[in-house]
Amino acid sequence: MPRKIIDISVALTAGIRSDPPHMLPQIDYRDHHMTAPAMAEFMGVPVDALPNGEYAAVEQVNISTHNGTHMDAPYHFFSRMDEALVEGGRPSMRIDEVPLEWCLQPGVKLDFRDKPDGHVVTPEEVEAELRRIGHELKPLEIVLVNTRAGSRYGQDDFVDSGCGMGRAATLWLAERGVRVVGTDGWSWDAPFSFTKKRVQETGDVSLIWEGHRAGREIGYCQMEKLSNLEALPADGFTVSCFPVKIHGASAGWTRAVAILEG
């Protein structure tokens, strides 16, 4: 059978609920007729001298490095990383410093779509899911987390949907050599609306961004706003997720795909 490539990225789209209101992307679409007058004026010819009066389609995009399907570098989580591995830690890796070897590796999918919104996944739940699918985790495998949020992308409740990965579960993966993970949720952590409630009830501020903050102890990268994970098997595929090389940045967009060999 031929190789099969499954797109696990979302389309960068304006006008939908893909992020909190203050973080939404903006895309200005300029079609062939809109750009023709400027080119015609520059060349000193009438617009109708251009083929069908058309020039080039182009889009002006106003986005952050965390819009769309993207990969977070350890620098996004904290200024230092690997504090559990080296005394004092190291300066956090930025997206243009991420080893490319991390970004093309065998993948494994953890199916947590049955977990309620706001649930914080534990190491025990990760281990149970790996037993269920019969997979023994190996260093550098890319772990993808399929949550309910994937089915809500673009809907009003997307940002508040799905479960999240807790500090302990994230460290459990990192301690076993995993260096790239991903989720179809807005965040690797549980939705902030649920975290806020827990913090107010307990006074425990360590709950804020607890999954992300695991990168302070062991540096790792994570993808957010993945898509179509339900189309993947539990394992037996390769993930390609090279981030765009943005100098000194905390994240970079990625066209993440899963590759299944025939």
Side-chain angles (χ1 to χ4, degrees):
M1 293 179 63
R3 173 184 294 175
K4 183 178 182 181
I5 298 178
I6 299 176
D7 190 359
I8 55 173
S9 304
V10 298
L12 185 63
T13 307
I16 64 170
R17 185 67 185 274
S18 58
D19 294 281
H22 68 283
M23 294 179 62
L24 290 171
Q26 299 174 356
I27 306 176
D28 178 23
Y29 292 87
R30 298 182 61 79
D31 67 22
H32 310 83
H33 291 287
M34 294 169 70
T35 63
M39 176 54 74
E41 180 180 4
F42 177 79
M43 292 294 180
V45 300
V47 171
D48 59 12
L50 301 175
N52 295 324
E54 297 184 1
Y55 176 50
V58 66
E59 294 74 46
Q60 187 72 29
V61 182
N62 183 7
I63 58 176
S64 85
T65 51
H66 298 268
N67 289 129
T69 303
H70 64 277
M71 180 185 289
D72 292 338
Y75 182 69
H76 177 54
F77 317 144
F78 200 71
S79 58
R80 299 190 68 77
M81 68 179 198
D82 290 347
E83 292 182 348
L85 305 179
V86 178
E87 185 176 355
R90 302 182 176 96
S92 285
M93 184 186 299
R94 306 193 188 212
I95 200 65
D96 53 333
E97 299 170 326
V98 172
L100 297 182
E101 292 76 15
W102 289 9
C103 305
L104 184 67
Q105 292 289 341
V108 55
K109 183 186 74 171
L110 308 180
D111 191 345
F112 291 143
R113 287 177 290 174
D114 62 333
K115 304 299 182 188
D117 294 343
H119 176 78
V120 178
V121 174
T122 66
E124 293 75 19
E125 289 169 323
V126 172
E127 291 183 272
E129 176 63 1
L130 288 169
R131 284 195 301 272
R132 186 187 72 81
I133 64 176
H135 185 90
E136 183 176 345
L137 199 62
K138 303 174 187 64
L140 293 185
E141 286 188 321
I142 296 175
V143 176
L144 307 179
V145 177
N146 194 178
T147 79
R148 192 184 85 87
S151 66
R152 303 305 299 162
Y153 180 72
Q155 304 301 312
D156 287 346
D157 62 347
F158 169 65
V159 172
D160 297 310
S161 296
C163 63
M165 300 293 286
R167 172 185 173 276
T170 305
L171 282 176
W172 190 92
L173 295 171
E175 287 164 355
R176 283 153 181 80
V178 172
R179 290 297 177 264
V180 175
V181 298
T183 177
D184 53 13
W186 182 76
S187 174
W188 179 248
D189 276 85
F192 285 170
S193 55
F194 292 91
T195 303
K196 179 180 179 179
K197 183 177 180 181
R198 290 190 187 100
V199 171
Q200 291 176 338
E201 289 173 346
T202 65
D204 185 357
V205 297
S206 71
L207 298 176
I208 300 172
W209 231 30
E210 62 168 297
H212 283 69
R213 293 292 194 208
R216 178 177 178 175
E217 299 173 64
I218 301 177
Y220 76 98
C221 297
Q222 67 191 32
M223 293 179 286
E224 295 170 330
K225 292 197 280 280
L226 294 171
S227 180
N228 204 30
L229 298 185
E230 64 278 0
L232 301 182
D235 57 12
F237 59 91
T238 297
V239 177
S240 174
C241 56
F242 298 101
V244 172
K245 194 174 183 180
I246 306 170
H247 176 69
S250 64
W253 312 283
T254 178
R255 181 66 179 270
V257 300
I259 305 167
L260 284 72
E261 300 293 344

